[in-house]
């Protein structure tokens, strides 16, 4: 994770960016309530992020440098783990700023100081490409309001707009505890509990906008002999806009969502990339005969919507899980 090259500014209102034909203005909207996530009881087993102490124990010695382990310098609670997300988004922000010539603000639905920022014109008016990272635990009740969905409809009526939705995984949705245990053993991450259900907010957006997708499971990708994530299975004939030009793989993460296409919406959606699954570890999804899961989807413009809608998990934009030229090509394609 890169060190800051300029002084850090916090608790300051965003300064709107002027439109430039040569560079798109990119914004990131994180759908969580930071206080609700950071304030979860660490004695609860399910539906919370790890504390930084738990991260240090599991990932030892990766976070034993004092900048992470010294409690006078870095929070050791759930809040500390949330701050790792912000550290790991910086390389994506810096890369996009270099490509577009614009800074990349990161909005939170409710931030550390308790300020509530709904997804409205204050976020959308100076945005051309919007990423929505669905990292809110369902238990925190982050429901999209009708006004937010209407604001997004107006945003998507712009031909120069683009929306990237990233609902995270849905682990342990079954009431059967033995099934939850199978899912846990499949992904193999001791930091993820037997039940960790995400993305009420993005699910609401998808329902309101008619995006026929739901996030399911947390599946472990297959890897090669070098322990790198297996290449994507792509459908080039459907990739009319070249979203995957120069892209062979994303980054490895132990539990990625399957973006299941639901049949109850008439609007077309294209599965452009699927990820091979580690089938050496049993899972209800592979028990049904599946060997790949839907990783990257594109919903072309249609009806009153002039903008593209894409789906890609938020971990693809976090360097906590690595980044290479293939991934940076993907970032460039989405914002160019």
């Amino acid at each position: 994770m890169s060190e800051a090259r300029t002084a850090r500014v916090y608790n300051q209102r965003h300064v709107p960016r002027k439109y430039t034909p040569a560079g798109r203005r990119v914004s990131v909207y994180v759908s969580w309530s930071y206080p609700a996530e950071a304030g979860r009881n660490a004695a609860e087993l399910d539906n919370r992020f790890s504390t930084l102490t738990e991260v240090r124990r599991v990932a030892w010695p990766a976070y034993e440098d004092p900048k992470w382990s010294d409690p006078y310098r870095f929070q050791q609670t759930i809040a500390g783990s949330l701050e790792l997300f912000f550290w790991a988004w910086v390389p994506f922000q810096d890369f996009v700023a270099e490509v577009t010539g614009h800074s990349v603000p990161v909005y939170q639905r409710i931030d550390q100081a308790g300020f509530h920022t709904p997804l409205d014109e204050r976020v959308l008016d100076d945005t051309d490409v919007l990423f929505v990272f669905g990292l809110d635990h369902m238990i925190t009740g982050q429901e999209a309001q009708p006004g937010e969905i209407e604001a997004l409809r107006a945003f998507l009526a712009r031909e120069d707009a683009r929306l990237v939705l990233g609902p995270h995984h849905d682990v342990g949705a079954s009431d059967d505890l033995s099934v939850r245990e199978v899912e846990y053993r499949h992904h193999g991450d001791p930091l993820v509990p037997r039940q960790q259900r995400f993305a009420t907010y993005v699910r609401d957006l998808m329902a309101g906008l008619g995006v026929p997708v739901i996030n399911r499971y947390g599946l472990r990708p297959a890897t090669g002999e070098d322990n790198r994530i297996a290449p994507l299975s792509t459908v080039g004939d459907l990739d009319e806009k070249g979203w995957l030009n120069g892209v062979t793989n994303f980054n490895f993460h132990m539990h990625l969502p399957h973006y299941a296409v639901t049949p109850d919406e008439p609007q077309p959606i294209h599965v452009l990339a699927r990820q091979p699954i580690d089938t050496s570890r049993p899972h209800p999804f592979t028990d049904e005969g599946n060997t790949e899961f839907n990783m990257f989807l594109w919903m072309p413009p249609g009806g009153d919507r002039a903008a593209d809608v894409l789906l890609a998990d938020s971990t693809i934009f976090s360097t906590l899980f690595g980044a290479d030229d293939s991934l940076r090509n993907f970032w460039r394609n989405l914002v160019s």
Side-chain angles (χ1 to χ4, degrees), residues 269-321:
I269 189 161
H270 303 311
V271 179
L272 300 185
R274 296 181 175 88
Q275 182 66 54
I277 306 170
D278 183 345
T279 55
S280 69
R281 302 162 179 254
H283 189 279
F285 189 63
T286 57
D287 289 347
E288 296 172 354
N290 298 291
T291 59
E292 299 177 327
F293 61 90
N294 297 344
M295 186 76 166
F296 175 55
L297 289 73
W298 170 45
M299 194 170 173
D304 295 332
R305 181 174 48 77
D308 297 294
V309 176
L310 303 126
L311 287 104
D313 187 58
S314 57
T315 55
I316 297 172
F317 310 99
S318 171
T319 54
L320 274 177
F321 313 107

Side-chain angles (χ1 to χ4, degrees), residues 106-301:
V106 174
Y107 300 96
Q108 298 176 77
R109 185 161 178 76
I110 304 178
D111 72 8
Q112 289 90 330
F115 287 100
H116 177 212
T117 303
L119 195 52
D120 59 20
E121 67 279 357
R122 293 173 300 167
V123 174
L124 298 172
D125 280 357
D126 81 324
T127 297
D128 304 310
V129 183
L130 176 68
F131 290 80
V132 183
F133 293 168
L135 290 167
D136 57 296
H137 281 89
M138 290 184 180
I139 200 169
T140 68
Q142 302 305 308
E143 299 178 352
Q145 299 304 303
E148 294 178 282
I149 293 172
E150 288 308 308
L152 263 185
R153 286 188 194 279
F155 172 75
L156 294 173
R158 291 167 38 191
E159 291 185 359
D160 61 342
R162 186 172 299 162
L163 175 63
V164 184
L165 299 172
H168 202 29
H169 63 238
D170 186 12
V171 169
S174 173
D175 291 330
D176 187 331
L177 299 188
S178 64
V179 173
R180 292 188 194 178
E181 180 66 5
V182 170
E183 290 188 39
Y184 176 81
R185 297 295 173 186
H186 169 79
H187 66 66
D189 186 351
L191 289 172
V192 169
R194 267 63 174 185
Q195 185 180 75
Q196 191 174 42
R197 307 195 66 189
F198 281 107
T200 296
Y201 185 79
V202 178
R203 285 188 174 194
D204 285 352
L205 294 185
M206 291 190 295
L209 297 172
V211 179
V213 173
I214 189 165
N215 55 314
R216 298 183 64 203
Y217 302 128
L219 295 157
R220 186 183 182 101
T223 55
E225 294 180 358
D226 56 359
N227 289 322
R228 286 174 54 84
I229 190 169
L232 295 163
S233 296
T234 59
V235 186
D237 291 345
L238 296 177
D239 189 10
E240 299 172 5
K241 295 193 175 182
W243 306 112
L244 293 172
N245 286 351
V247 180
T248 56
N249 59 269
F250 295 146
N251 48 3
F252 178 78
H253 186 59
M254 284 186 277
H255 26 80
L256 291 165
H258 166 55
Y259 288 150
V261 178
T262 57
D264 55 350
E265 292 288 346
Q267 299 191 56
I269 189 161
H270 303 311
V271 179
L272 300 185
R274 296 181 175 88
Q275 182 66 54
I277 306 170
D278 183 345
T279 55
S280 69
R281 302 162 179 254
H283 189 279
F285 189 63
T286 57
D287 289 347
E288 296 172 354
N290 298 291
T291 59
E292 299 177 327
F293 61 90
N294 297 344
M295 186 76 166
F296 175 55
L297 289 73
W298 170 45
M299 194 170 173

